């Protein structure tokens, strides 16, 4: 995807159209896959949450939100209070639920230090939340949220794994021998790409020693982070490699192709295999 | 000295005799008396030639036609250490950089070098002015050196008007001042008194140039005030020389280096004067005003795209820092047109561009001269590009055409040329390159017509004062040294052969050259390897993984360091071309961060190794990059860039251009290309610890590489590639080692005499990091001096001003000089030479190209600024060196290498002289004995040392005896000579072998590509020739040499199995077989044992580890189960258990490993051996090998097991795991306790009467746990999920297990909806059900939809292999939630069919369930569920919902997915909340429903308590409202 088009998509997302944003996007940008648009949208949501997190989770603000919530419960509002609040705040319902849950625990269990894992455990199993109102509220938030929360996490995690699995299968189909992350970790590698090829291949005339599968859209922010934390590290250790952003990427970001970090949005079709005999 | 020349020129002594005399052979006659002058003759002779030709060459400059040559020809006027002059010259070009404040010391010296450079360039100053201005100079220079510099530069081209004037004056009235020494009386006034000179020396010191300081030092310290003037050699009637000699004896003993200084002084003595004259401010041009000078302080440097060679790159890097002065006016005037005037072909455009600059300069001169300027029309001046097309045919007409007819003094020239040629050929001149360069200068000299006429009156003591004579002399010498010329690359030879002068003056030479050109050239031996795409140093598990670090922390920090290092590299690559980007600023903080991350030696070692590997990686790649830049593609890019970003392009261009010359025949050492990064890293880091570690790494790598022996059995097979790569790697390593080693001593300040002496004596006590002499000896013995010398030269090129005066290094240098004298440009034939030489000659001699390379490199070293001047000519006996070490080395050299006497050399090298002096040859033969040694005086006296030296064959033999298995190559060597009859242990045999083996030195190991790579300055010759062409010829000869890269192959890790336990028998066995048998056996042993070990590591260890952890887990669980509340208490027990377990494990491991090893051995060895061993090995032989392999690999495996698989290792491992397990168990226990307590307190709160029930429920809890398989602990541990895989401890190795799910599909069907899809739709369904208003629900959700989703879940779980545990858990929760949501929100859809589908999903796997018994069923009846039901206010709806829930729970109970106890728990928990009456009654109806259904089930009837309890709960619910009311 060209940067320009990406920016158009972002514009539409920021204009906050009524209804399901992804559906709107799908209608508007016909040539673009739904998964891509969904991924871009999710990334935007994440950015929004990141931007507002500190503001909203500041102690004052948090307790204010919590008391708002309590008063709603007091007044016997129908379930879905938190979901509505999140909508009004333009914030992630799951994150809001987490915040409320934390506040609830602080308020109700003063003698216990509220740990992150405790909160997470309750989020994972909302039935364990003592307060029945909160229990259903949090539960509804988790169901509502497509980016945060244990359900969304499971789905994201699964998507990542599915594509990695797909990649492995494709490699196996082509009889390409590789080491996966776990193999490498076992052998004491300090940085482990998803796939490290035992015998390098060539894609588009570029050597590929490793493949990283990313089940997300490659936007600038995430790509920079990945480059710094992962891709360059792989490159340092294993030489040039391939990154597959299964949901596409901003084409302009593919600037290190010559240097040895190639971006693709699908499994390469034109693979050249190493064959020492072909030279002779 | 003049006497010598005199007798020579008068023909009393033949050149031949002279050479013999020089070589130390007693010749008798006139020369006998002059023997004390012998040492000094060569340098004086060389300077004499420069003086002779200085007029002509200078004329060349000032005529303005070949301006680019100006500096070099100036230099050529004197043999004053050309290297130094050169360095000055190049430095002047980059002086602006210096003022930018680069921190390098090297750069600092550059600054200081400039003034003298300026001085040297200004040749035209009037002699009288010199003296007048002397004092003025002193006052101005010190105060404003920077101002002085540009004026110096400008002198060449900036003030044409004044230039003309001064030229007139000079040519009319005077010879150039520097020839003044005693040549004509009227120049006597020029000679300064010693005092004056001393004074000047001091002034120089103030300026602080290091090398000026150095010569000054030698001037003072060594007291080499014996002023030998050239005149001494010419005429005896100039007595002034004697006066100047006087100081010498007086000073002789004061210097620590004493008598050795004689030679050194020779090149110094004239310099003070030279240095003084140059400053234009002090000595303004006639007619020029200072103002003018200031305005025109610009000099045009012809520039060229850097592309051809690494050294050109070096220029770039140096250059890059001062882009402003790179171009003179032309570029700034029309930057685009000048550079991109023609881009059709890269080289073409470069040539044109250079031509453009040349013309620009011409134009400017012309305008100044106003001589031919009027001819040119304005248009031409304004559009330089158009000039390119016109090759200025009219220009040539202005030059004197050298003509053979006009040559004067032929006989003298003949004599001189003969002497000169022989000096070159017999390694008596220090630098071949400098001499060749000088010859080509003479050949291509051009003098403008007018200027020459005026010189008719010149004193006839000048033999090289006309271009005719110069060309004659040059061609004559070139003819004599044709063999040497032929070693140059063909491009140069072609240019030479096409030179019109050659044709005119010596058709013989041309014929020779053409003939040679026609001969088929050797195929290039270097492989054309594309640059490796690997940019970094690859991660090697055997050196880089966790096991190589003392701690996890160190390991992870190194990971960071590694990434940080590469980040810096990237930053550097992106930015270092940008002007204004400073290394220290851009990377300094990062470097410090990196090095301070962990000041731990392990990390430093690792980092130093990474640094070194990356250095080799990148710098070897540079050779390719420069090559790539010539691609037309690259130029296409440039064109594009120019259009799009003119500014950026301009900056890039400024980076890429380089002075058209590399910097003369002897450029100073530099750090081209990527080397700059590493150098700056070291400088910026200035971290002592890092430097030390890096040094260690470099030294060890250098020695490993250097000690490698290359024995090429079949020279044709191009086996040299690896050796070449090793040589190139060694050069880089040695250079950086030298850099590090001498870095602390580098100084830009002059070191005064006294201080210098202290330094020298201090340094003499310190051992160098490497035993260089030993390395040289070793390489001499193994016949690969070419390897050692190349890197030693690189190492020494980095030397500081003091080091080479110190004993250790002096010894090395003397050794190098001795080696230098062994380098002959032709291979002596076996029969060649006189009897004396022939008798003493061992087999080895250098191949011509090898010699050439070493000659060039050594010559370069001898001319470097920090190389003590004149040291080359010093008699070794007088030098303060480690004589023992030296003699030892020399002996090794003499024994291993052919050392020829002059007579033999002459026979070999100067075929034309064969007939000349046959008698002399005979004389030589009889008289020369061992005097052929280059250091005859010394060796003659120290003969006893010979006993210390072993013959090479013996050495070799002993080596092989002592460690026959040490290296394959050595083994190869021994086995080669074997024949059945003889034992391999006789010396005679080894000699036979020696004849069959090829050592690198003898092979054509070096080729032209290698020479160009190592000595990029060689292309200067071509530049001179092609410059001439461009001025004269019409065709555009472009011969940019492509440099073929060598790829760095890192094969050093080749395994050499050590078989020290081998018995003598085995050795004999192998001795009697083909070498490959041993190789094969070793190979199989190595492979086999490594395979076994790998198997142990990847299979046996993880397996045992898992089982041990399982046991440990069991143990912990046991403990905690039995005594729940005290996890702390179990810790000790756990520790004990760990020790037990690890011992147990080690034992098991060992038995298993032995079993594995045994099996592998018996299975694999035989097939492998029979496949690999040569066919002629008998079955018995194979059997022996097999046994050997079995034993050795077993030993190896055993050793590995013993050292690696210890109980401590396991216990450490297990302790770490136990912590985790304990934590888990503790959490679980805590949870259990809290739930227990909670339920207990609830109970007690809600109903005190029934406290005994709570006790029952407690026990029930554990029974529940037992029933459902997994304990409740796990249930609460992470998530409510309750499936077996969670139970399994996930082993550290994890190998994908994390992602796998109990219901692993056997096949993958990617058409089935993916887990994420299923999960998403399921979640969506639940969301819709819970959120949507009930009224609309029936329209949005249908039974079919529900069933479809559930089916999808099943098929996904059974047909997809990519289901992760996370998905699985989410499915557990969401299916439960789904069921609840349906029952609560659309109860009528929760019919028995739907219920059955759910149940079928949750059934145990044996009943084809896919999500067996989700743990969250235990929270089916939770407040949340109630809330869901309560969402719909309709009573009928709620009623139905409660019924459905009851039905569903009953079904679950009957299917054993839920226990009544669990239901009871849930109910009890519900009661902790207060509920409205309608809800409570709903709940009670639900529970009643359950109990009623349960009554029908037989299994339930056995448990009356439960039944009663359910009844009770139902009743409670019913009554609850009343209770709360009453309370």
């Amino acid at each position: 995807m060209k940067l320009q088009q990406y920016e158009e998509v972002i514009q539409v997302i920021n204009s906050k159209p009524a209804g399901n944003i992804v559906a709107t996007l799908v209608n508007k940008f016909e040539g673009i896959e739904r998964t891509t648009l969904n991924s871009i949208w999710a990334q935007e949501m994440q950015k929004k949450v990141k931007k507002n997190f500190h503001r909203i989770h500041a102690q004052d603000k948090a307790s204010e939100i919590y008391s708002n919530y309590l008063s709603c419960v007091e007044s016997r509002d129908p379930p879905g209070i938190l979901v509505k609040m999140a909508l009004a705040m333009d914030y992630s319902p799951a994150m809001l639920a987490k915040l409320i849950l934390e506040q609830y625990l602080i308020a109700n269990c003063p003698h216990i230090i509220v740990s992150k894992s405790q909160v997470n455990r309750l989020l994972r199993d909302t039935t364990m939340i003592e307060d029945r109102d909160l229990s259903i509220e949090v539960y509804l938030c988790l169901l509502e949220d497509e980016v945060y929360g244990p359900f969304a996490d499971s789905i994201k995690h699964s998507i990542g794994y599915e594509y990695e699995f797909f990649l492995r299968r494709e490699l196996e189909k082509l009889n390409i021998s590789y080491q996966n992350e776990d193999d490498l970790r076992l052998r004491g590698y300090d940085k482990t790409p998803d796939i490290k090829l035992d015998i390098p291949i060539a894609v588009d005339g570029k050597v590929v020693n490793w493949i990283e599968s990313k089940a997300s859209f490659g936007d600038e922010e995430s790509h920079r982070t990945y480059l710094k934390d992962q891709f360059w590290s792989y490159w340092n250790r294993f030489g040039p490699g391939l990154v597959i952003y299964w949901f596409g990427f901003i084409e302009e970001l593919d600037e290190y192709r010559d240097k040895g970090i190639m971006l693709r949005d699908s499994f390469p079709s034109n693979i050249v295999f190493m064959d020492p005999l072909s030279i002779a | 000295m003049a006497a010598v020349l005199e007798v020579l020129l008068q023909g009393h002594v033949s050149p031949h005799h002279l050479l013999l005399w020089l070589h130390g052979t007693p010749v008798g006659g006139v020369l006998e008396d002059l023997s004390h002058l012998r040492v000094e003759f060569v340098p004086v002779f060389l300077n004499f030639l420069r003086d002779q030709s200085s007029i002509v060459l200078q004329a060349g400059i000032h005529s303005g036609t070949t301006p680019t040559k100006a500096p070099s020809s100036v230099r050529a006027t004197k043999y004053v250490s050309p290297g130094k002059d050169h360095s000055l010259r190049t430095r002047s070009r980059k002086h602006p950089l210096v003022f930018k404040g680069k921190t390098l010391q090297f750069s600092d010296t550059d600054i200081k070098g400039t003034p003298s450079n300026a001085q040297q360039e200004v040749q035209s100053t009037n002699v009288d002015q010199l003296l007048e201005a002397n004092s003025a100079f002193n006052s101005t220079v010190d105060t404003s050196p920077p101002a002085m510099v540009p004026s110096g530069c400008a002198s060449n081209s900036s003030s044409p008007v004044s230039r003309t004037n001064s030229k007139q004056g000079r040519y009319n009235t005077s010879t150039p001042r520097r020839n003044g020494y005693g040549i004509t009386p009227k120049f006597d006034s020029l000679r300064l008194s010693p005092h004056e000179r001393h004074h000047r020396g001091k002034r120089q010191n103030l300026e602080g140039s290091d090398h000026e300081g150095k010569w000054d030092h030698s001037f003072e310290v060594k007291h080499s005030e014996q002023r030998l003037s050239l005149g001494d050699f010419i005429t005896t009637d100039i007595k002034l020389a004697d006066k100047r000699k006087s100081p010498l004896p007086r000073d002789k003993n004061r210097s620590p280096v004493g008598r050795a200084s004689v030679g050194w002084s020779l090149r110094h003595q004239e310099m003070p004067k030279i240095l003084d004259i140059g400053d234009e401010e002090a000595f303004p041009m006639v007619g020029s005003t200072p103002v003018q000078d200031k305005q025109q302080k610009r000099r045009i440097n012809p520039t060229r795209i850097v592309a051809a060679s690494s050294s050109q790159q070096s220029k770039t890097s140096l250059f890059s820092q001062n882009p402003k002065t790179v171009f003179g006016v032309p570029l700034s005037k029309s930057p685009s047109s000048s550079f991109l005037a023609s881009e059709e072909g890269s080289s073409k455009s470069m040539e044109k561009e250079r031509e453009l600059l040349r013309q620009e300069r011409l134009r400017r001169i012309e305008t100044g001269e106003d001589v031919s300027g009027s001819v040119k029309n304005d248009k031409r001046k304004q559009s330089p590009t158009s000039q390119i097309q016109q090759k200025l045919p009219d220009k040539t007409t202005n030059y004197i055409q050298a003509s053979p007819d006009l040559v004067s003094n032929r006989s003298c020239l003949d004599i001189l040329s003969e002497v000169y040629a022989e000096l070159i050929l017999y390694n008596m001149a220090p630098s071949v390159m400098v001499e060749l360069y000088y010859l080509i200068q003479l050949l291509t000299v051009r003098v403008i017509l007018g200027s020459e006429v005026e010189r008719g009156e010149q004193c006839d003591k000048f033999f090289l004062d006309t271009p005719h004579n110069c060309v004659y002399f040059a061609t004559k010498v070139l003819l004599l040294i044709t063999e040497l010329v032929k070693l140059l690359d063909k491009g140069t030879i072609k240019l030479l052969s096409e030179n019109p002068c050659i044709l005119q003056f010596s058709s013989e030479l041309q014929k020779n050259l053409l003939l040679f050109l026609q001969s088929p050239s050797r195929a290039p031996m270097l492989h054309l390897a594309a640059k490796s795409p690997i940019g970094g140093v690859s991660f090697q598990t055997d050196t880089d993984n966790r096991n190589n670090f003392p701690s996890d922390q160190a390991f992870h920090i190194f990971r960071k360091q590694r990434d940080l290092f590469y980040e810096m590299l990237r930053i550097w690559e992106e930015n270092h071309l940008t002007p204004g980007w400073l290394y220290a600023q851009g990377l300094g903080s990062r470097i410090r961060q990196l090095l301070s991350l962990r000041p731990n030696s392990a990390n430093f070692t690792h980092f130093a190794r990474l640094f070194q590997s990356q250095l080799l990686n990148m710098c070897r790649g540079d050779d390719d990059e420069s090559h790539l830049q010539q691609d037309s593609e690259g130029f296409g890019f440039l064109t594009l860039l120019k259009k799009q970003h003119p500014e950026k392009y301009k900056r890039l261009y400024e980076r890429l251009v380089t002075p058209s010359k590399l910097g003369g025949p002897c450029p100073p050492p530099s750090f081209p290309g990527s080397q700059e990064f590493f150098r700056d890293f070291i400088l910026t880091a200035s971290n002592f610890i890092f430097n030390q570690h890096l040094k260690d790494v470099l030294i060890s790598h250098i020695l490993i590489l250097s000690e490698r022996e290359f024995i090429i059995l079949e020279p044709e097979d191009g086996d040299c590639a690896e050796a070449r790569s090793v040589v190139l790697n060694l050069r880089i390593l040695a250079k950086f080692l030298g850099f590090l080693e001498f870095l602390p001593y580098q100084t830009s300040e002059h070191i005064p005499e006294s201080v210098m002496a202290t330094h020298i004596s201090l340094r003499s006590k310190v051992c160098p990091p490497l035993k260089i002499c030993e390395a040289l000896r070793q390489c001499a013995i193994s016949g690969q001096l070419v390897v050692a010398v190349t890197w030693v030269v690189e190492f020494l090129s980095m030397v500081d001003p003091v080091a080479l005066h110190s004993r250790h290094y002096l010894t090395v240098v003397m050794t190098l000089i001795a080696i230098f004298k062994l380098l002959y440009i032709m291979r002596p034939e076996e029969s060649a030479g006189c009897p004396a030489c022939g008798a003493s000659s061992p087999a080895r001699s250098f191949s011509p190209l090898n010699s050439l390379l070493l000659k060039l490199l050594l010559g370069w070293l001898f001319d470097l600024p920090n190389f003590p001047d004149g040291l080359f000519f010093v008699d070794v006996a007088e030098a303060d060196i480690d004589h023992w070490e030296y003699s030892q080395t020399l002996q090794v050299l003499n024994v291993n290498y052919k050392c020829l006497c002059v007579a033999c050399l002459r026979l070999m090298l100067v075929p034309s002289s064969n007939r000349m002096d046959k008698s002399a040859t005979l004389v030589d033969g009889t008289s020369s004995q061992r005097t052929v040694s280059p250091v005859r005086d010394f060796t003659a006296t120290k003969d006893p040392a010979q006993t210390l030296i072993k013959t090479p064959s013996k050495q070799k033999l002993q080596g092989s005896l002592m460690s026959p298995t040490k290296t394959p190559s050595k083994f190869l060597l021994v086995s080669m000579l074997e024949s059945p009859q003889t034992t391999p242990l006789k010396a005679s045999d080894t000699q036979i072998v020696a004849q069959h083996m090829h050592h690198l030195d003898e092979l054509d190991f070096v080729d032209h590509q290698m020479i160009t790579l190592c000595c990029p300055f060689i292309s200067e010759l071509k530049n001179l020739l092609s410059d001439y062409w461009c001025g004269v010829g019409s065709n555009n000869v472009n011969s940019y040499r492509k440099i073929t890269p060598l790829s760095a192959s890192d094969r050093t890790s080749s395994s050499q199995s050590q078989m020290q336990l081998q018995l003598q028998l085995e050795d004999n066995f192998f001795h009697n077989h083909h070498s490959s048998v041993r190789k094969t056996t070793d190979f199989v042993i190595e492979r086999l044992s490594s395979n076994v070990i790998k198997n142990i590591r990847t299979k046996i260890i993880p397996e045992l580890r898992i089982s041990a952890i399982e046991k440990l887990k069991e143990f912990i669980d046991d403990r905690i189960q039995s005594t729940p509340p005290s996890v702390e208490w179990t810790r000790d027990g756990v520790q004990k258990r760990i020790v037990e377990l690890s011992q147990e494990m080690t034992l098991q491991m060992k038995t298993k490993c032995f079993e594995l090893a045994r099996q592998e051995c018996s299975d694999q060895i035989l097939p492998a051996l029979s496949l690999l061993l040569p066919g002629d090995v008998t079955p018995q032989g194979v059997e022996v090998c097999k046994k050997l392999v079995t034993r050795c690999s077993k030993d190896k495996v055993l050793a590995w097991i013993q050292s690696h698989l210890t109980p401590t290792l396991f216990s450490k491992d297990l302790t770490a795991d136990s912590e985790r397990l304990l934590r888990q168990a503790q959490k679980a226990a805590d949870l259990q306790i809290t739930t227990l307590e909670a339920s207990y307190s609830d109970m007690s709160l809600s109903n005190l009467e029934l406290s005994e029930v709570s006790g029952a429920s407690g026990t029930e809890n554990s029974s529940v746990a037992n029933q459902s398989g997994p304990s409740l602990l796990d249930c609460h541990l992470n998530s409510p999920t309750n499936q077996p895989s969670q139970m399994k401890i996930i082993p550290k190795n994890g190998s994908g297990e994390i992602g796998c799910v109990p219901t692993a599909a056997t096949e993958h069907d990617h058409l089935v909806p993916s887990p994420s899809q299923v999960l998403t739709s399921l979640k969506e369904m639940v969301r819709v059900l819970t959120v949507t208003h009930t009224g609309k629900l029936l329209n949005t959700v249908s039974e079919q939809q529900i069933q479809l989703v559930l089916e999808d879940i099943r098929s996904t779980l059974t047909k997809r292999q990519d289901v992760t545990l996370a998905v699985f858990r989410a499915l557990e929760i969401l299916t439960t939630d789904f069921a609840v949501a349906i029952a609560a929100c659309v109860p009528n859809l929760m019919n028995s069919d739907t219920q059955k589908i759910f149940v079928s999903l949750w059934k145990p796997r044996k009943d084809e369930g896919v999500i067996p018994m989700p743990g969250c069923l235990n929270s089916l009846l939770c407040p949340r569920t109630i809330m869901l039901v309560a969402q719909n206010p309709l009573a009928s709806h709620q009623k139905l919902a409660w019924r459905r829930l009851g039905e569903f729970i009953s079904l679950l109970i009957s299917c054993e997915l839920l226990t009544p106890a669990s239901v009871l728990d849930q109910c009890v928990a519900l009661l902790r909340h207060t509920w409205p009456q309608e809800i409570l009654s709903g709940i009670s109806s639900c529970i009643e429903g359950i109990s009623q259904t349960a009554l029908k089930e037989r299994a339930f009837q056995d448990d009356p308590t439960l039944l009663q309890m359910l009844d009770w709960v139902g009743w409670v619910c019913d009554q609850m409202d009343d209770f709360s009311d009453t309370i």
Side-chain angles (χ1 to χ4, degrees), chain B residues 776-788:
Chain B
L776 286 170
R777 280 200 296 273
Q778 209 163 31
C779 280
I781 290 167
S782 53
Q784 44 194 43
L785 267 179
V786 67
V787 175

Side-chain angles (χ1 to χ4, degrees), chain B residues 39-57:
Chain B
V39 178
E40 297 144 20
F41 177 80
V42 176
V44 175
F45 179 81
L46 294 176
N47 277 341
F48 165 70
L49 288 180
R50 264 72 175 181
D51 280 335
Q52 286 283 312
S53 56
S54 61
I55 303 169
V56 179
L57 290 177

Side-chain angles (χ1 to χ4, degrees), chain B residues 1354-1365:
Chain B
R1354 173 176 283 277
S1355 52
T1356 298
L1357 284 172
T1358 49
K1359 290 175 185 161
R1360 301 265 314 195
Q1361 289 180 321
D1362 52 355
V1363 183
T1364 62
L1365 200 56

Side-chain angles (χ1 to χ4, degrees), chain B residues 1322-1341:
Chain B
L1322 184 59
K1323 182 189 160 209
E1324 183 62 16
M1325 282 288 257
V1326 179
R1327 190 185 70 86
V1328 168
L1329 284 175
T1330 49
V1331 170
T1332 319
H1333 200 265
T1334 325
K1336 297 173 188 167
L1337 256 183
L1338 281 175
N1339 305 328
T1340 41
V1341 180

Side-chain angles (χ1 to χ4, degrees), chain A residues 124-126 130 132-133 139 143-145 158 161-162 165 169 182 187-189 232-233 236-237 259, chain B residues 537-539 545 563 566 573 1278 1296 1308 1314-1316 1323 1327 1367 1377 1424 1427 1472-1475:
Chain A
R124 236 177 284 136
D125 185 357
T126 46
E130 295 279 310
R132 62 182 181 226
D133 294 303
Y139 183 61
L143 287 175
E144 190 66 32
D145 203 312
S158 181
Y161 184 75
E162 284 157 26
F165 183 83
R169 270 178 64 89
D182 304 310
R187 294 174 60 192
Y189 280 77
W232 283 124
S233 297
N236 297 341
R237 287 161 180 78
K259 193 125 192 221
Chain B
V537 175
S538 80
F539 184 94
N545 75 10
D563 286 335
Y566 282 101
E573 277 182 352
N1278 289 317
H1308 184 78
S1314 74
S1316 57
K1323 182 189 160 209
R1327 190 185 70 86
V1367 168
D1377 292 351
R1424 203 183 71 195
M1427 292 296 287
R1472 285 160 63 191
H1473 299 266
T1474 51
W1475 299 101

Side-chain angles (χ1 to χ4, degrees), chain B residues 264-334:
Chain B
W264 299 4
S265 69
L266 295 174
R267 282 151 87 191
H268 297 146
Q269 37 123 8
E270 294 137 335
M271 287 191 72
K273 205 169 281 184
I274 298 162
L275 292 163
D276 275 347
I277 295 166
D279 182 46
E280 280 208 338
E281 273 183 31
F283 314 116
M285 295 286 179
V286 177
S288 71
T289 66
V291 183
Q292 272 178 324
D293 271 357
K294 289 245 159 70
Q295 279 174 340
Q296 302 188 341
K297 271 174 201 161
R298 285 166 303 196
R299 179 168 136 204
I300 299 165
N301 287 306
T303 50
R304 168 169 56 176
I305 294 284
V306 187
S309 73
S310 56
S311 127
Q312 281 181 322
Q313 282 210 335
S314 82
K315 289 293 126 195
T316 327
S317 64
L318 289 166
F319 213 62
S320 59
Q321 293 146 19
N322 61 330
K324 278 172 203 153
T325 43
V326 172
F327 308 101
V329 177
L331 186 83
S332 44
K333 267 182 181 170
S334 53

